Amino acid sequence: MKTDVCALLETNLDDVTPELLGHVQGLLMEAGALDVWITPILMKKGRPAQMLSVLVKEERLDEFALRICRETGSLGVRVRRIERRILDRSVETRETEFGPIRFKTGSSNGESVSGKPEYEDCVAAARRTGLPLKDLLKRLS
């Protein structure tokens, strides 16, 4: 497995609508975040809030911290540098009964460890064929 260092940026938000938060999540992913997730939390005095967590390449830390503050109105972002282990990744297109579907595969030392079809390709195939997505995914596994 490969090792790399990333930055985990987090901020607690108690004044952002769900619609805005969803929009921000999409923007951050489009901008190149490795992952973005939102966790419901309780802040002091029992106030409900959301914690926005954004995983980025370490060299893009400042860019994303500023973008988070601009988009959410947050006054600051916590930063943790983390090390992660990642599999070698490859994508191949396979011809299936539903048409061509891309599959992501993770491997280590040349051995396939995990793999799954690309979600967007499966959604498109389900729409094209009229088959429920859950059934299509089951048949591809």
PDB file of all heavy atoms in Angstrom, residues 42-56:
ATOM      1  N   LEU A  42     -24.101  18.251  18.488  1.00  0.00           N
ATOM      2  CA  LEU A  42     -24.694  19.186  19.436  1.00  0.00           C
ATOM      3  C   LEU A  42     -23.577  20.068  19.954  1.00  0.00           C
ATOM      4  O   LEU A  42     -22.566  19.582  20.454  1.00  0.00           O
ATOM      5  CB  LEU A  42     -25.350  18.455  20.605  1.00  0.00           C
ATOM      6  CG  LEU A  42     -26.701  17.825  20.325  1.00  0.00           C
ATOM      7  CD1 LEU A  42     -27.192  17.048  21.534  1.00  0.00           C
ATOM      8  CD2 LEU A  42     -27.721  18.880  19.928  1.00  0.00           C
ATOM      9  N   MET A  43     -23.766  21.368  19.859  1.00  0.00           N
ATOM     10  CA  MET A  43     -22.779  22.316  20.350  1.00  0.00           C
ATOM     11  C   MET A  43     -23.153  22.728  21.772  1.00  0.00           C
ATOM     12  O   MET A  43     -24.109  22.205  22.346  1.00  0.00           O
ATOM     13  CB  MET A  43     -22.707  23.520  19.406  1.00  0.00           C
ATOM     14  CG  MET A  43     -22.128  23.129  18.042  1.00  0.00           C
ATOM     15  SD  MET A  43     -22.063  24.434  16.806  1.00  0.00           S
ATOM     16  CE  MET A  43     -21.273  25.775  17.632  1.00  0.00           C
ATOM     17  N   LYS A  44     -22.382  23.665  22.317  1.00  0.00           N
ATOM     18  CA  LYS A  44     -22.666  24.112  23.683  1.00  0.00           C
ATOM     19  C   LYS A  44     -24.102  24.592  23.797  1.00  0.00           C
ATOM     20  O   LYS A  44     -24.710  25.034  22.823  1.00  0.00           O
ATOM     21  CB  LYS A  44     -21.681  25.197  24.112  1.00  0.00           C
ATOM     22  CG  LYS A  44     -21.764  26.463  23.295  1.00  0.00           C
ATOM     23  CD  LYS A  44     -20.676  27.430  23.715  1.00  0.00           C
ATOM     24  CE  LYS A  44     -20.686  28.605  22.748  1.00  0.00           C
ATOM     25  NZ  LYS A  44     -19.465  29.319  22.718  1.00  0.00           N
ATOM     26  N   LYS A  45     -24.638  24.454  24.965  1.00  0.00           N
ATOM     27  CA  LYS A  45     -26.025  24.823  25.278  1.00  0.00           C
ATOM     28  C   LYS A  45     -27.036  23.994  24.486  1.00  0.00           C
ATOM     29  O   LYS A  45     -28.172  24.396  24.284  1.00  0.00           O
ATOM     30  CB  LYS A  45     -26.263  26.315  25.055  1.00  0.00           C
ATOM     31  CG  LYS A  45     -25.372  27.205  25.907  1.00  0.00           C
ATOM     32  CD  LYS A  45     -25.624  28.657  25.638  1.00  0.00           C
ATOM     33  CE  LYS A  45     -24.619  29.491  26.430  1.00  0.00           C
ATOM     34  NZ  LYS A  45     -24.737  30.915  26.142  1.00  0.00           N
ATOM     35  N   GLY A  46     -26.591  22.829  23.999  1.00  0.00           N
ATOM     36  CA  GLY A  46     -27.481  21.916  23.304  1.00  0.00           C
ATOM     37  C   GLY A  46     -27.935  22.351  21.931  1.00  0.00           C
ATOM     38  O   GLY A  46     -28.918  21.836  21.402  1.00  0.00           O
ATOM     39  N   ARG A  47     -27.205  23.289  21.318  1.00  0.00           N
ATOM     40  CA  ARG A  47     -27.596  23.772  19.984  1.00  0.00           C
ATOM     41  C   ARG A  47     -27.271  22.723  18.924  1.00  0.00           C
ATOM     42  O   ARG A  47     -26.133  22.273  18.815  1.00  0.00           O
ATOM     43  CB  ARG A  47     -26.851  25.070  19.648  1.00  0.00           C
ATOM     44  CG  ARG A  47     -27.317  26.263  20.415  1.00  0.00           C
ATOM     45  CD  ARG A  47     -26.770  27.563  19.832  1.00  0.00           C
ATOM     46  NE  ARG A  47     -25.475  27.460  19.212  1.00  0.00           N
ATOM     47  CZ  ARG A  47     -24.335  27.911  19.753  1.00  0.00           C
ATOM     48  NH1 ARG A  47     -24.337  28.481  20.935  1.00  0.00           N
ATOM     49  NH2 ARG A  47     -23.205  27.808  19.102  1.00  0.00           N
ATOM     50  N   PRO A  48     -28.256  22.346  18.103  1.00  0.00           N
ATOM     51  CA  PRO A  48     -27.958  21.429  17.001  1.00  0.00           C
ATOM     52  C   PRO A  48     -27.106  22.130  15.945  1.00  0.00           C
ATOM     53  O   PRO A  48     -27.266  23.322  15.688  1.00  0.00           O
ATOM     54  CB  PRO A  48     -29.327  21.060  16.447  1.00  0.00           C
ATOM     55  CG  PRO A  48     -30.254  22.119  16.925  1.00  0.00           C
ATOM     56  CD  PRO A  48     -29.657  22.723  18.164  1.00  0.00           C
ATOM     57  N   ALA A  49     -26.193  21.385  15.360  1.00  0.00           N
ATOM     58  CA  ALA A  49     -25.287  21.947  14.346  1.00  0.00           C
ATOM     59  C   ALA A  49     -24.796  20.814  13.455  1.00  0.00           C
ATOM     60  O   ALA A  49     -25.151  19.650  13.646  1.00  0.00           O
ATOM     61  CB  ALA A  49     -24.120  22.660  15.025  1.00  0.00           C
ATOM     62  N   GLN A  50     -23.977  21.184  12.494  1.00  0.00           N
ATOM     63  CA  GLN A  50     -23.342  20.232  11.584  1.00  0.00           C
ATOM     64  C   GLN A  50     -21.842  20.457  11.621  1.00  0.00           C
ATOM     65  O   GLN A  50     -21.384  21.600  11.668  1.00  0.00           O
ATOM     66  CB  GLN A  50     -23.834  20.440  10.142  1.00  0.00           C
ATOM     67  CG  GLN A  50     -25.339  20.401   9.969  1.00  0.00           C
ATOM     68  CD  GLN A  50     -25.911  19.033  10.206  1.00  0.00           C
ATOM     69  OE1 GLN A  50     -25.302  18.032   9.903  1.00  0.00           O
ATOM     70  NE2 GLN A  50     -27.100  18.981  10.770  1.00  0.00           N
ATOM     71  N   MET A  51     -21.078  19.369  11.610  1.00  0.00           N
ATOM     72  CA  MET A  51     -19.635  19.498  11.453  1.00  0.00           C
ATOM     73  C   MET A  51     -19.305  19.161  10.006  1.00  0.00           C
ATOM     74  O   MET A  51     -19.637  18.079   9.514  1.00  0.00           O
ATOM     75  CB  MET A  51     -18.861  18.577  12.387  1.00  0.00           C
ATOM     76  CG  MET A  51     -17.346  18.727  12.190  1.00  0.00           C
ATOM     77  SD  MET A  51     -16.307  17.916  13.417  1.00  0.00           S
ATOM     78  CE  MET A  51     -17.058  16.325  13.595  1.00  0.00           C
ATOM     79  N   LEU A  52     -18.694  20.116   9.319  1.00  0.00           N
ATOM     80  CA  LEU A  52     -18.239  19.922   7.942  1.00  0.00           C
ATOM     81  C   LEU A  52     -16.801  19.438   8.000  1.00  0.00           C
ATOM     82  O   LEU A  52     -15.944  20.094   8.598  1.00  0.00           O
ATOM     83  CB  LEU A  52     -18.329  21.240   7.172  1.00  0.00           C
ATOM     84  CG  LEU A  52     -17.783  21.236   5.746  1.00  0.00           C
ATOM     85  CD1 LEU A  52     -18.597  20.308   4.847  1.00  0.00           C
ATOM     86  CD2 LEU A  52     -17.759  22.652   5.188  1.00  0.00           C
ATOM     87  N   SER A  53     -16.532  18.273   7.413  1.00  0.00           N
ATOM     88  CA  SER A  53     -15.187  17.695   7.370  1.00  0.00           C
ATOM     89  C   SER A  53     -14.760  17.571   5.916  1.00  0.00           C
ATOM     90  O   SER A  53     -15.530  17.070   5.084  1.00  0.00           O
ATOM     91  CB  SER A  53     -15.172  16.311   8.025  1.00  0.00           C
ATOM     92  OG  SER A  53     -15.606  16.376   9.360  1.00  0.00           O
ATOM     93  N   VAL A  54     -13.549  18.030   5.634  1.00  0.00           N
ATOM     94  CA  VAL A  54     -13.054  18.042   4.260  1.00  0.00           C
ATOM     95  C   VAL A  54     -11.634  17.485   4.248  1.00  0.00           C
ATOM     96  O   VAL A  54     -10.751  18.000   4.928  1.00  0.00           O
ATOM     97  CB  VAL A  54     -13.063  19.476   3.677  1.00  0.00           C
ATOM     98  CG1 VAL A  54     -12.641  19.468   2.224  1.00  0.00           C
ATOM     99  CG2 VAL A  54     -14.437  20.117   3.850  1.00  0.00           C
ATOM    100  N   LEU A  55     -11.425  16.430   3.475  1.00  0.00           N
ATOM    101  CA  LEU A  55     -10.108  15.812   3.342  1.00  0.00           C
ATOM    102  C   LEU A  55      -9.472  16.313   2.053  1.00  0.00           C
ATOM    103  O   LEU A  55     -10.086  16.218   0.983  1.00  0.00           O
ATOM    104  CB  LEU A  55     -10.253  14.288   3.309  1.00  0.00           C
ATOM    105  CG  LEU A  55      -8.960  13.483   3.318  1.00  0.00           C
ATOM    106  CD1 LEU A  55      -8.205  13.690   4.630  1.00  0.00           C
ATOM    107  CD2 LEU A  55      -9.274  12.000   3.119  1.00  0.00           C
ATOM    108  N   VAL A  56      -8.268  16.883   2.163  1.00  0.00           N
ATOM    109  CA  VAL A  56      -7.593  17.468   0.994  1.00  0.00           C
ATOM    110  C   VAL A  56      -6.121  17.087   0.990  1.00  0.00           C
ATOM    111  O   VAL A  56      -5.555  16.717   2.019  1.00  0.00           O
ATOM    112  CB  VAL A  56      -7.721  19.011   0.969  1.00  0.00           C
ATOM    113  CG1 VAL A  56      -9.178  19.435   0.905  1.00  0.00           C
ATOM    114  CG2 VAL A  56      -7.022  19.650   2.148  1.00  0.00           C
TER     115      VAL A  56
END
